[in-house]
Amino acid sequence: MTMQPGSRLGPYEIVVPIGAGGMGEVYRARDARLGREVAVKVLPEAFSADSNRLRRFEQEARSASALNHPNIVTIHDVGQEGAVSYIAMELVEGQSLREVLAAGPLPQKKAIAIAAQVSSGLAKAHASGIVHRDLKPENVMVTTDGLAKILDFGLAKLALNPSAKLLSQAETEAGQTEPGILLGTVGYMSPEQAAGRSLDFRSDQFSFGAILYEMLSGRRAFQRATAVETLTAILKEEPLPLAAPAAPEPLRRIVERCLAKDPEDRYASTRDLARDLADVRDLPSETRGAPPPVSDRRGFRVGPVAVAALAIALITGWLLLRARSSSVAWGGGERSIAILPLQ
């Protein structure tokens, strides 16, 4: 349903359309009560007509609205005006990640910065028991100052119904999610989604890995000529290897772990994924080719910088000890150590 500028949905006055997709049309709107601008998403009529699906969505949307994380778009309100169901959310000025990727692969620093933020938002949601189910570049916004925000938590659950179908090739190329799609968007589904199995937070990790792969390489990880071939690739094939220097070893290992076919081989906690990406982000660019941080059996994380510092401290201590046992010089009434060259 297309809304005209000046029309109203509850307390929100429509200003101008700003986007559209399989999950609804989005408008810039004015909240007269609080004097602020918001984004209003009008849900497709098929969603509004199914009271059970709409009720499930409202429950999930209200849970997502309580997340309160800088990398997740805040949901302000869920409402209905006549036969029209809508969501009012934070208005984000910027571009979708899909628009950002239109120019090709991202510079390594920018890709890592966006990925670290998205993984942080996912970690928060997963810790609260909320799974996105439809993570893709269209559902990530990047603001004009580089802040990444995840959109549409809960909408994928609304899209499910007993007569689930696969997307057509045209819909696949558009990257849309249609009512009845098989648990997500072809090209970003996890293998368990593609196979119609039950899923958990690790499914989002796979979708995230596909997005990170695309940011680094400029190509989609599993795109094939048809939707069925794409699903087969997700289930049985590996993407083309990422190449250095665009994707240094630590990043390649993170992507490979996220894209593991078996959920058990992905991260046991998305917080660990976020930490690994933060570690890579914080490394100087010239050292990113080193192995990623590892964990010992007690769960302590040891990064390459820490290993180097420990080695320097041990060597320095050994030199001091050897010098002390070799020669001691006294002067001026104060004891001083003279370190002699090794023989």
Side-chain angles (χ1 to χ4, degrees), residues 36 119 147 151 206 288 291:
R36 64 181 175 184
S119 64
L147 182 64
L151 303 172
F206 188 94
R288 286 182 185 144

Side-chain angles (χ1 to χ4, degrees), residues 142-268:
V142 182
T143 69
T144 51
D145 57 358
L147 182 64
K149 287 180 173 282
I150 307 171
L151 303 172
D152 288 354
F153 273 98
L155 283 182
K157 188 172 186 178
L158 178 62
L160 307 184
N161 66 29
S163 58
K165 66 178 181 65
L166 295 181
L167 289 176
S168 68
Q169 173 63 9
E171 291 167 334
T172 303
E173 291 175 350
Q176 295 178 344
T177 307
E178 294 292 332
I181 181 175
L182 184 63
L183 294 173
T185 297
V186 173
Y188 299 95
M189 289 183 183
S190 65
E192 54 270 31
Q193 282 178 298
R197 299 194 299 267
S198 61
L199 56 88
D200 59 18
F201 65 93
R202 293 169 297 183
S203 178
D204 282 350
Q205 292 180 10
F206 188 94
S207 302
F208 172 83
I211 293 172
L212 181 53
Y213 179 98
E214 190 170 345
M215 285 195 289
L216 294 169
S217 68
R219 61 180 181 269
R220 301 193 191 188
F222 300 102
Q223 188 173 33
R224 301 294 187 268
T226 68
V228 172
E229 290 174 327
T230 299
L231 290 175
T232 300
I234 289 172
L235 288 168
K236 299 181 179 298
E237 300 175 16
E238 299 296 336
L240 293 173
L242 291 168
E249 182 65 17
L251 274 179
R252 292 201 297 272
R253 292 192 182 187
I254 291 171
V255 172
E256 288 168 3
R257 187 169 180 181
C258 288
L259 292 181
K261 304 298 186 187
D262 187 344
E264 293 294 331
D265 293 330
R266 299 175 208 149
Y267 285 88

